[in-house]
Amino acid sequence: MKVVIIIPTYNEKGNIERIVPITEDVFKRINNYEMEILVTDDNSPDGTAEKVIELSKKYKNIELSSGMRHGLGAAYVRGMTYAIEKMGADIVFEMDADLQHDPEKIPNFLAKIDEGNDMVIGTRYSEGGSIPAAWPIHRKIFSIFGNLLIRTIMMRFWLHDWTGGFRALKKEVFLKEKDELTEFKGYTFQVSFLHKAVRDGFKIAEVPFHFGERNIGDSKIAPMSYIANVLKYVITARIKELVFGKFGKFMVVGGFGFVINAVVLRALVEGFNFAPVPANLIGAACAIFSNFNFNNLWTFGERKANTVISYFSKLIQFYATSAFGVIFIQTGTIFLGDTFIGRQYYFIYFLVGTGVLLTWNFTMYSVVIWRKSRR
Ligand SMILES: Nc1nc2c(ncn2[C@@H]2O[C@H](COP(=O)(O)OP(=O)(O)OP(=O)(O)O)[C@@H](O)[C@H]2O)c(=O)[nH]1
Ligand SMILES: [Mg+2]
């Protein structure tokens, strides 16, 4: 199996001549993988590329990919494509040139890959990891709270470091996400790549590491546009997931069920003099039938019932799990209001009860009926 460590560079001549020998030393201790280095340089005016060519005379496992400067994401997409297509990489690494990512950690990443993970994320924010103590306070705050904010918006708390660029991944992960990554040219690449990998169910592990300080060369990061772009990405990505994802579909189906429930309830109470409690039970039974079929075909379509038996067994489960909520939460609220406040407000009790019911239902459906089968 071949591993290619991709090092993106822009004006890193001083750093590349330091990091290559250190990385090569680490390679000597790895014997179950064939280890190579690829430097993706964007025609750095300081002569980084010439330095790489010089190094490649001493070390035979180094290649250079030169291109126009289109930002870090573009450099990685080009580098990963080159590593996989031209060098035959099975696994690629992302690693900064400025020694902020300690090459000594490479074996820890590979150990996680050996355990069966598809992608391994270096993390500065969990136990065993850190950011430089000497950083000015505002940079520390941005770094820590920025990541915390991203984790919160993404609602995936088990991943601690979304913005870091010390990673290892199997080629399958890159090949799957490649087409969606080309639009993220700058540092947003890191967040969007991780997000898409999680979304698609790749197995992801973390390796804590101490993020060192840059000693040579200039930082390429433009903090303000970086923060704005990352925030824009995470917020729009989450909204899309919510609106077009399961939750959005669930709301549409539930909304339709709600209308059915409300219409039947009102018709029976106003038109046929039913008491609100039995009228709601009938209305809810009709809504449940509609909800089940739409959820089965659409919201949870990829996990839908395929046979008559599984259809009926899911339908019964659905009625059983819904029954609790409908009888005790929704109709229970109507019953209490009807008994202790007065019948004239029955529709308000219905609205309140339905609100609480909704929360209960989504949890039950996704945890019990259409739960993901384990792979
Ligand atoms: N090829 C290429 N490499 C880039 C580009 N921008 C940044 N890099 C490289 O990406 C790595 C990370 O960039 P840094 O400037 O160190 O970003 P940072 O670590 O967040 O910031 P510092 O802590 O200030 O170093 C370095 O190896 C850079 O040379 C780019 O546009 N093209
Ligand atoms: Mg750096």
Side-chain angles (χ1 to χ4, degrees):
M1 291 262 264
K2 185 176 278 188
V3 178
V4 174
I5 313 284
I6 302 175
I7 306 179
T9 54
Y10 192 74
N11 286 345
E12 304 283 10
K13 186 180 174 197
N15 280 315
I16 202 77
E17 64 183 344
R18 288 164 72 216
I19 198 170
V20 166
I22 296 174
T23 309
E24 292 284 350
D25 266 350
V26 174
F27 287 177
K28 287 182 192 147
R29 302 203 310 268
I30 301 170
N31 34 38
N32 51 340
Y33 288 100
E34 196 183 334
M35 305 297 297
E36 299 196 5
I37 295 174
L38 171 68
V39 179
T40 46
D41 183 64
D42 291 353
N43 297 329
S44 302
D46 75 343
T48 304
E50 289 71 17
K51 189 59 152 184
V52 175
I53 292 167
E54 193 186 313
L55 286 161
S56 70
K57 295 196 176 110
K58 177 166 182 203
Y59 303 102
K60 296 295 169 208
N61 57 354
I62 300 182
E63 290 207 28
L64 170 71
S65 153
S66 292
M68 302 279 281
R69 190 175 186 198
H70 294 298
L72 184 64
Y76 267 127
V77 171
R78 188 180 86 225
M80 289 182 188
T81 308
Y82 185 101
I84 294 165
E85 288 178 3
K86 301 246 168 59
M87 301 169 76
D90 302 294
I91 293 155
V92 291
F93 271 70
E94 297 178 14
M95 189 170 90
D96 287 358
D98 55 8
L99 283 164
Q100 287 184 289
H101 297 156
D102 183 1
E104 294 288 336
K105 285 280 172 190
I106 291 172
N108 300 48
F109 284 76
L110 289 174
K112 291 282 178 197
I113 295 274
D114 290 338
E115 286 171 18
N117 294 293
D118 301 306
M119 188 169 187
V120 187
I121 305 295
T123 168
R124 299 162 285 181
Y125 307 105
S126 43
E127 214 176 314
S130 68
I131 52 174
W135 266 5
I137 188 77
H138 67 272
R139 189 158 182 196
K140 283 185 186 161
I141 291 174
F142 266 132
S143 180
I144 294 169
F145 285 96
N147 259 283
L148 207 59
L149 183 68
I150 296 172
R151 279 164 73 197
T152 311
I153 298 175
M154 290 306 200
M155 292 294 283
R156 282 145 181 147
F157 288 100
W158 67 94
L159 285 170
H160 294 85
D161 195 336
W162 287 76
T163 50
F166 196 9
R167 298 175 173 182
L169 48 123
K170 289 184 179 161
K171 72 170 179 199
E172 289 75 16
V173 183
F174 175 68
L175 293 175
K176 168 101 178 93
E177 312 301 353
K178 185 180 174 179
D179 293 341
E180 282 188 74
L181 292 176
T182 44
E183 61 187 287
F184 304 108
K185 297 190 166 67
Y187 289 76
T188 321
F189 171 79
Q190 305 295 11
V191 176
S192 58
F193 195 178
L194 181 55
H195 171 232
K196 288 170 204 310
V198 187
R199 175 201 67 190
D200 290 337
F202 285 110
K203 267 188 89 178
I204 301 175
E206 294 188 321
V207 167
F209 76 100
H210 298 290
F211 193 53
E213 272 183 88
R214 173 188 270 282
N215 295 318
I216 304 183
D218 299 324
S219 174
K220 276 90 209 168
I221 201 162
M224 281 309 153
S225 74
Y226 170 59
I227 293 166
N229 285 334
V230 166
L231 269 184
K232 196 172 123 199
Y233 176 79
V234 289
I235 292 170
T236 44
R238 273 308 277 167
I239 290 175
K240 274 189 208 153
E241 270 183 3
L242 287 177
V243 176
F244 298 109
K246 288 204 172 11
F247 187 72
K249 290 178 175 178
F250 177 77
M251 291 302 286
V252 171
V253 172
F256 192 57
F258 170 79
V259 172
I260 294 180
N261 195 158
V263 167
V264 173
L265 169 68
R266 286 198 81 106
L268 291 178
V269 173
E270 314 284 334
F272 296 91
N273 260 333
F274 270 59
V277 166
N280 188 60
L281 289 173
I282 297 171
C286 300
I288 293 171
F289 188 72
S290 152
N291 286 2
F292 174 77
N293 284 292
F294 283 117
N295 277 329
N296 187 47
L297 293 173
W298 191 44
T299 317
F300 300 93
E302 81 283 0
R303 302 176 224 164
K304 75 165 181 274
N306 298 319
T307 60
V308 177
I309 293 178
S310 93
Y311 174 85
F312 279 106
S313 104
K314 277 195 194 311
L315 182 63
I316 290 166
Q317 272 188 62
F318 193 81
Y319 266 102
T321 44
S322 309
F324 175 85
V326 164
I327 295 171
F328 292 99
I329 300 175
Q330 187 196 36
T331 315
T333 310
I334 298 175
F335 173 77
L336 290 177
D338 190 21
T339 311
F340 297 107
I341 305 172
R343 184 153 296 183
Q344 68 273 32
Y345 302 120
Y346 79 95
F347 202 69
I348 294 177
Y349 317 143
F350 163 74
L351 294 178
V352 173
T354 308
V356 185
L357 180 70
L358 224 91
T359 321
W360 160 262
N361 276 359
F362 186 69
T363 316
M364 288 309 285
Y365 298 168
S366 43
V367 177
V368 182
I369 301 187
W370 286 279
R371 70 171 177 271
K372 279 187 184 156
S373 46
R374 299 201 175 276
R375 282 198 290 176

